[in-house]
């Protein structure tokens, strides 16, 4: 098993750092899957993470100048690690002006992801910062847990309103209730609702637009669906807040698929990064 | 006592006090002939700081004649006088510090713009002298750097980091986070920054060595140094000996003395990296975590010993209200000290010593004669090493 990668471009480094920062705000630990073409930050929707699932895909070529990977076996050319993204975030944070950042898999006192940054100095010799981030290697027999989640059979798919606006709304709603209902229809309308014994608050968004899934996704249901009818799901408000809080990358496309009473599937697309986040329904 | 600080020096004084507040809870104030000494020490006596402002720092500097005056105050009270640094700069024209002997008060009067006077009357306690014994010039290793370099270095470590290890070789210096708890070692992220000797104003390394000390106190000094722009000098020897960090200029001398871990176990953190030129680490054998073995060997001038012989003129005002307790404490500490020295003798032969921070050595110093002070310092050894002569050396 071998992994070595190098980043030289400052823009790539900044972008990568922002992605890692976002991931670190979403979860304390996650799986890092390294394949010849991509990096994935994965959280499988298990009970441990409160049923929340995350799938973040980065195209390696858009970030790294050099990238060498030798997986666990020739027929399984990938590496699967459990990492604490906060550590990675911290290591990257102070290396933003580095001339070069290398990441490699090493074995120190335990398997580590070692980040080495060469910082510019006034003298002829650079300053070298080395961060050893302990990781756990995930054995092959557990890899099936971390496969790309399939697109759920959604009832409604809609573009999200500006994330900042959503965040402001959700932040205030969180003070009133622990649960939030998200509903949307095929007419580009979305509502965020909370309801308690004392008060109910609804925020209405209009003219959001619905993504044209066409042959992808599940055309069957949406074609015959009444565009006025809302599909709704009730979720733990903190999970939605956590998703909105951490966003550091401005997505070029942000959308949401709702499976009635089952799950909210949030998708953020950027040129070289995609982030999917699944929030399960609560009763 | 009657001193006046004017203009920009008020802010320097304020910054010094804020810096000292990061060391301990009490401010020891002692007007000496060679200047006003502000000192502080932490509760475990493993960190000590002294700011010595020469008479030239003041526009007026009058100290009590005859008996020496020493006091201590809660540092928070003094900080309250100099609370907002930015407004100090803009509004305070001078600061007048006056001793009111009758009422046992130290009066701080801030003369501000528009004729505004802010008077703070702070009560104090008489105290014993607080003076750590250290000899910078005899240290084997010395580095001097612009504060910016050190600030940039500590930036790579999280604010919560307790201890940092500094290793030097002929050409390079490494700063590493020190992981204390064995349980954490497999999970903790390890960060190392390597600087070349080029980046330092002065780089004199006697032998390859590695010391570990508390980062928090270092940050206190760096904040001060950065604001003054003065270079920071770092003096150190082998692990166990204290590290002395100094900032000096014509009117001011600052010394931070920090205890270091008396053990090479801090090398065990990084084992397999061949990039780092280092001697093979000693066997990883943490027997106990002797946190409570912070030795405290605080000498007071009330105790019998050679110091009295050296300074027969020790004034009677040293006998303060705190005499009894401090003597008791000292006795307990000495006992503990002796126990540990016994431990060490056997440990040296069998296995690496238990890790613990070495005490800072506090000598009794009679401030009335500064020449005597220097003599006292030079004639005493720097921190307790693990030789058998210790029982003698611990009594000055």
């Amino acid at each position: 098993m071998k992994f070595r990668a190098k980043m030289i471009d400052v823009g790539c480094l900044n972008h990568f750092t922002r992605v890692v920062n976002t991931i670190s705000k979403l979860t304390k630990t996650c799986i890092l899957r390294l394949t010849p073409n991509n990096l994935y930050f994965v959280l499988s929707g298990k009970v441990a993470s409160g049923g929340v699932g995350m799938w973040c895909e980065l195209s390696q070529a858009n970030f790294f100048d050099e990238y060498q990977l030798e997986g666990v076996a020739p027929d399984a050319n990938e590496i699967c690690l459990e990492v604490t993204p906060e550590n990675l975030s911290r290591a990257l944070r102070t290396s933003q002006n580095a001339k070069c950042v290398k990441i490699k898999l090493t074995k120190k006192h335990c398997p580590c992801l070692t980040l080495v940054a060469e910082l510019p100095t006034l003298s002829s010799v650079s300053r070298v910062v080395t961060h050893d981030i302990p990781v756990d290697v995930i054995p092959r027999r557990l890899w099936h847990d971390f496969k790309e989640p399939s697109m759920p059979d959604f009832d409604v798919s809609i573009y999200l309103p500006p994330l900042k606006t959503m965040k402001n709304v959700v932040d205030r709603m969180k003070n009133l209730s622990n649960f939030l209902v998200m509903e949307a229809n095929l007419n580009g309308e979305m509502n965020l609702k909370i309801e308690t014994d004392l008060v109910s608050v609804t925020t209405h968004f209009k003219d959001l637009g619905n993504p044209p899934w066409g042959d992808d996704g599940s055309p069957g249901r949406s074609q015959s669906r009444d565009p006025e009818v809302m599909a709704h799901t009730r979720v733990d408000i903190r999970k939605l807040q956590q998703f909105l809080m951490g966003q550091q990358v401005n997505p070029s496309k942000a959308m949401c698929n709702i499976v009635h009473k089952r799950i909210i599937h949030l998708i953020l697309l950027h040129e070289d990064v995609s982030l999917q986040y699944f929030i399960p329904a609560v009763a | 006592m009657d001193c006046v600080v004017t203009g920009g020096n008020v802010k320097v004084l304020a910054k010094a006090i804020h810096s000292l507040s990061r060391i301990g809870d009490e401010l020891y104030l002692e007007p000496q002939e060679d200047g006003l000494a502000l000192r502080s020490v932490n509760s475990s006596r493993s960190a000590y700081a002294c700011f010595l402002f020469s008479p030239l720092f003041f526009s007026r500097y009058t100290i009590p004649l005859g008996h020496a005056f020493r006091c201590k105050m809660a540092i928070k009270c003094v900080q309250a006088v100099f609370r907002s640094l930015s407004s100090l700069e803009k509004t305070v024209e001078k600061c007048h510090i006056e001793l009111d002997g009758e009422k046992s008060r130290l009066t701080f009067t801030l003369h501000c713009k528009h004729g505004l006077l802010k008077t703070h009357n702070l009560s104090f306690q008489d105290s014993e002298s607080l003076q750590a014994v250290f000899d910078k010039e005899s240290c084997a290793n010395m580095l001097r750097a612009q504060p910016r370099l050190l600030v940039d270095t500590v930036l790579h470590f999280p604010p919560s980091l307790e201890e940092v290890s500094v290793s030097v070789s002929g050409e390079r210096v490494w700063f590493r986070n020190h992981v204390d708890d064995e349980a954490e070692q497999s999970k903790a992220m390890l960060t190392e920054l390597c600087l070349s000797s080029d980046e330092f104003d002065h780089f004199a390394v006697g032998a390859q060595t590695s010391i570990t000390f508390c980062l928090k106190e270092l940050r206190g000094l760096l904040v001060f140094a950065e604001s003054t722009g003065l270079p920071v000098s770092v003096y150190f020897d082998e692990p166990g000996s204290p590290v002395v960090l100094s900032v000096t200029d014509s009117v001011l001398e600052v010394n931070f003395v920090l205890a270091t871990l008396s053990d090479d176990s801090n090398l065990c953190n990084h084992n397999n990296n061949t990039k780092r030129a280092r001697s093979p680490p000693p066997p990883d054998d943490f027997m106990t975590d002797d946190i409570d073995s912070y030795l405290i060997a605080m000498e007071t001038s009330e105790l019998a010993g050679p110091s009295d012989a050296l300074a027969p003129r020790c004034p009677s005002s040293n006998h303060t209200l705190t005499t009894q307790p401090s003597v008791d404490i000292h006795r307990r500490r000495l006992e503990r000290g002796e126990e540990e020295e016994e431990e060490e003798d056997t440990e040296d032969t069998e296995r690496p010593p238990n890790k613990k921070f070495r005490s800072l050595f506090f000598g009794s110093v009679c401030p009335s004669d500064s020449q005597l002070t220097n003599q006292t310092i030079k004639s005493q050894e720097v921190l307790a090493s693990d030789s058998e002569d210790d029982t003698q050396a611990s009594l000055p």
Side-chain angles (χ1 to χ4, degrees):
Chain A
M1 251 193 327
K2 201 167 88 165
F3 173 65
R4 277 171 196 279
K6 189 158 104 171
M7 251 186 297
I8 297 185
D9 183 72
V10 155
C12 294
L13 180 56
N14 289 341
H15 192 34
F16 186 70
T17 306
R18 270 178 274 135
V19 173
V20 174
N21 287 343
T22 303
I23 303 292
S24 70
K25 301 241 163 62
L26 289 176
T27 175
K28 256 191 79 182
T29 60
C30 71
I31 302 295
L32 173 60
R33 270 186 65 186
L34 303 165
T35 68
N37 293 323
N38 295 309
L39 288 92
Y40 305 93
F41 289 96
V42 185
L43 199 59
S44 72
K46 292 259 170 71
V47 177
S49 54
V52 162
M54 174 186 75
W55 179 266
C56 179
E57 186 172 320
L58 292 92
S59 152
Q60 128 329 73
N62 287 339
F63 293 93
F64 298 96
D65 273 334
E66 281 173 32
Y67 188 92
Q68 291 168 16
L69 177 79
E70 259 174 47
V72 292
D75 61 330
N77 196 20
E78 70 175 71
I79 298 175
C80 220
L81 307 165
E82 187 176 12
V83 302
T84 304
E86 171 61 34
N87 285 341
L88 198 51
S89 182
R90 254 185 34 213
L92 288 165
R93 190 173 308 155
T94 51
S95 312
Q96 289 306 292
N97 60 338
K99 294 199 283 205
C100 153
V101 173
K102 294 187 202 146
I103 306 181
K104 49 191 178 177
L105 187 59
T106 58
K107 174 107 171 47
K108 301 277 168 84
H109 50 281
C110 66
C112 284
L113 213 50
T114 297
L115 205 121
V116 181
E118 252 179 66
L119 303 168
T121 63
L122 295 170
S123 79
S124 52
V125 185
S126 326
R127 250 177 247 177
V128 177
V129 180
T130 310
H131 299 271
D132 291 316
I133 303 165
V135 296
D136 277 324
V137 179
I138 304 288
R140 209 167 142 184
R141 59 190 157 80
L142 297 175
W143 286 7
H144 58 268
D145 278 342
F146 310 113
K147 293 236 166 303
E148 178 161 8
S150 48
M151 182 74 71
D153 219 5
F154 54 81
D155 295 298
V156 169
S157 180
I158 190 166
Y159 287 116
L160 289 171
L163 294 180
K164 255 216 169 88
T165 313
M166 263 187 91
K167 176 180 169 322
N168 286 336
V169 170
V170 173
D171 278 347
R172 277 150 188 72
M173 285 181 164
K174 180 170 169 293
N175 293 330
L176 298 168
S177 166
N178 285 333
F179 302 103
L180 173 144
V181 171
M182 183 187 280
E183 61 179 22
N185 65 19
L186 289 171
N187 247 354
E189 288 168 347
M190 175 194 273
N191 300 330
L192 297 173
K193 305 201 302 200
I194 53 157
E195 193 169 319
T196 68
D197 291 339
L198 295 172
V199 65
S200 67
V201 182
T202 308
T203 303
H204 304 267
F205 296 94
K206 287 210 262 269
D207 298 328
L208 293 172
N210 302 86
W213 284 103
D215 290 323
D216 310 304
S218 70
R221 275 208 218 172
S222 34
Q223 271 172 9
S224 56
R225 195 187 162 85
D226 178 356
E228 287 299 320
V229 171
M230 293 276 182
H232 70 251
T233 305
R234 187 163 179 263
V235 295
D236 183 339
I237 202 171
R238 285 166 298 184
K239 301 205 169 88
L240 182 59
Q241 194 198 30
Q242 194 168 21
F243 173 77
L244 294 166
M245 242 179 12
Q247 292 312 313
Q248 297 211 350
V249 187
N250 252 336
S252 39
K253 277 202 168 74
M255 60 191 106
C256 168
N257 298 334
I258 302 181
V259 180
H260 188 63
K261 290 192 181 170
R262 293 275 298 282
I263 200 163
I264 293 179
H265 177 207
L266 299 147
I267 309 175
L268 303 181
L269 292 177
H270 195 277
E271 203 175 279
D272 34 27
V273 184
S274 75
L275 175 63
Q276 295 178 52
Y277 202 71
F278 299 83
I279 308 179
V282 293
Chain B
M1 175 185 130
D2 193 343
C3 312
V4 177
V5 184
T6 43
N9 283 354
V10 178
K11 194 169 172 196
V12 177
L13 180 64
K15 287 210 150 117
I17 291 167
H18 287 298
S19 203
L20 284 165
S21 70
R22 296 176 79 149
I23 297 277
D25 294 330
E26 285 176 323
L27 178 69
Y28 289 73
L29 189 140
E30 188 170 347
Q32 301 168 178
E33 258 183 48
D34 57 348
L36 180 67
L38 298 178
R39 302 189 179 98
S40 189
V41 71
N42 70 354
S43 52
S44 53
R45 309 289 195 196
S46 59
Y48 158 96
C50 174
F51 283 76
L52 182 65
F53 295 96
S54 93
L56 293 171
F57 180 80
F58 302 89
S59 51
R60 176 158 84 230
Y61 185 71
T62 324
I63 56 169
L65 299 164
H67 80 276
F69 167 68
R70 290 196 287 275
C71 72
K72 66 177 178 182
M73 300 172 267
I75 208 167
K76 281 203 164 21
C77 299
V78 192
Q79 266 186 301
V81 177
F82 300 99
R83 177 155 292 147
S84 161
L85 289 173
S86 53
S87 72
L88 268 180
E89 207 172 9
K90 293 182 204 144
T91 59
V92 177
E93 285 162 3
K94 67 180 186 195
C95 170
H96 185 192
I97 308 172
E98 216 175 345
L99 168 63
D100 184 346
E102 289 158 6
K103 296 189 190 159
S104 279
R105 285 197 315 209
L106 210 55
T107 304
F108 286 77
T109 311
L110 296 176
H111 296 248
C112 307
K113 276 197 188 137
H114 313 301
L116 192 66
L117 282 178
K118 292 187 197 168
T119 310
H120 300 256
N121 294 313
L122 303 178
S123 61
F124 57 79
Q125 284 176 287
D126 286 327
S127 84
E128 65 279 11
S129 173
L130 181 75
Q131 171 104 23
V133 175
F134 55 95
D135 184 4
K136 296 190 284 200
E137 309 306 326
S138 74
C139 283
N141 308 302
M142 196 277 246
L143 312 172
R144 182 163 53 239
Q146 292 302 312
R148 188 74 242 166
L149 177 69
L150 295 174
V151 167
D152 284 346
T153 299
V154 302
L155 215 67
H156 286 92
F157 299 98
S160 59
L161 180 64
E162 290 275 322
E163 288 145 19
V164 69
S165 291
V166 178
S167 309
V168 286
S169 73
E171 295 282 305
R172 302 230 189 286
V173 105
W174 290 268
F175 287 80
R176 285 183 205 106
N177 61 324
H178 177 78
V179 180
D180 215 10
D181 191 355
E182 212 183 309
E184 266 182 46
Q185 276 199 356
S186 56
K187 285 294 149 197
M189 180 166 135
L190 300 176
T191 300
E192 174 190 279
L193 176 59
C194 178
L195 303 171
S196 98
S197 55
D198 285 357
E199 299 213 60
F200 290 82
D201 293 352
H202 186 89
F203 193 92
V205 169
Q208 214 172 350
T209 188
S210 182
I211 53 167
T212 302
F213 55 91
C214 227
L215 186 55
K216 177 180 142 211
E217 282 112 19
L218 171 62
R219 288 188 206 264
L221 175 64
L222 289 181
V223 168
F224 181 82
E226 215 195 353
S227 66
T228 58
L230 295 167
V232 179
S233 303
V234 186
Y235 301 84
F236 56 101
D237 264 325
E238 72 279 346
S241 282
V243 54
V244 182
L245 301 127
S246 282
V247 173
T248 324
D249 84 355
S250 49
V251 293
L252 169 64
E253 183 180 335
V254 187
N255 286 307
F256 271 55
V257 184
L258 308 176
T260 63
L261 272 186
S262 66
D263 181 23
D264 296 8
S265 57
N266 55 42
L267 291 176
C268 294
N269 286 343
H270 304 249
N271 277 330
N272 300 326
N273 194 325
T274 53
K275 272 200 299 195
R276 303 166 197 172
R278 193 182 315 130
S279 54
D284 196 359
D285 188 9
F286 294 101
M287 295 306 290
T288 56
D289 200 338
D290 259 346
I291 324 175
D292 59 357
S293 63
Y294 285 111
L295 278 180
I296 309 144
M298 173 105 185
E299 298 292 316
T300 62
S301 45
E302 291 86 11
L303 292 172
S307 67
D308 278 5
L310 285 173
R313 288 185 287 125
C314 264
S316 57
S317 67
N318 282 344
H319 292 282
T320 68
L321 296 167
T322 57
T323 301
Q324 271 314 301
S326 56
V327 168
D328 286 344
I329 292 167
H330 177 77
R331 219 176 282 133
R332 276 205 298 282
R333 291 166 192 164
L334 259 189
E335 280 165 10
R336 218 188 313 166
E338 281 163 7
E339 277 169 23
E340 279 176 351
E341 275 140 11
E342 282 164 16
E343 255 181 78
E344 270 148 50
D345 287 339
T346 49
E347 275 171 27
D348 276 350
T349 49
E350 289 169 359
R351 52 171 197 256
N354 292 341
K355 68 178 171 130
K356 51 183 177 279
F357 276 101
R358 283 291 181 160
S359 71
L360 292 181
F361 201 66
F362 289 89
S364 71
V365 174
C366 290
S368 48
D369 187 342
S370 54
Q371 227 179 10
L372 197 61
T373 305
N374 289 340
Q375 200 182 28
T376 313
I377 291 174
K378 285 195 180 99
S379 64
Q380 287 176 336
E381 285 178 13
V382 189
L383 279 216
S385 60
D386 51 7
S387 73
E388 277 144 299
D389 292 329
D390 258 4
T391 33
Q392 286 187 346
S394 61
L395 292 174

